[in-house]
Amino acid sequence: MAGFLDRAKEQAQRGLTQGKQKIDEVQSQRTGGDLLKKLGAAYYAERQGTGSPQATQQALQAVEAHIATNGDAFLRG
């Protein structure tokens, strides 16, 4: 009986770990998407004359920092 409980506990722990990884992945993709939207908005505002190159550059740097930390999977999603 103890072996069964150990296996069940191990399987539950694996499930929790996989679930947390999936949540982290989804959150990373959502954050990446938000950063891309901000970059697009900054670029659009700059092209319309209501934004600045600095704002566009800052948005681009935020996207690049996110890619360096989390990868670029959100670009394909």
Side-chain angles (χ1 to χ4, degrees):
M1 186 67 159
F4 172 76
L5 291 177
D6 289 341
R7 284 192 305 255
K9 182 180 175 182
E10 182 181 314
Q11 193 171 22
Q13 187 62 40
R14 244 183 289 139
L16 287 172
T17 301
Q18 289 173 346
K20 181 170 177 1
Q21 288 172 342
K22 185 63 176 174
I23 288 172
D24 290 346
E25 179 183 317
V26 168
Q27 185 62 35
S28 175
Q29 288 195 0
R30 189 172 290 156
T31 299
D34 289 346
L35 290 171
L36 283 177
K37 287 179 188 177
K38 288 179 183 178
L39 175 58
Y43 178 76
Y44 181 79
E46 181 183 347
R47 299 292 292 176
Q48 294 299 311
T50 58
S52 69
Q54 293 82 9
T56 303
Q57 185 62 33
Q58 287 176 341
L60 178 60
Q61 288 172 341
V63 170
E64 290 171 341
H66 183 76
I67 290 171
T69 302
N70 301 290
D72 64 355
F74 72 97
L75 294 172
R76 295 182 284 279

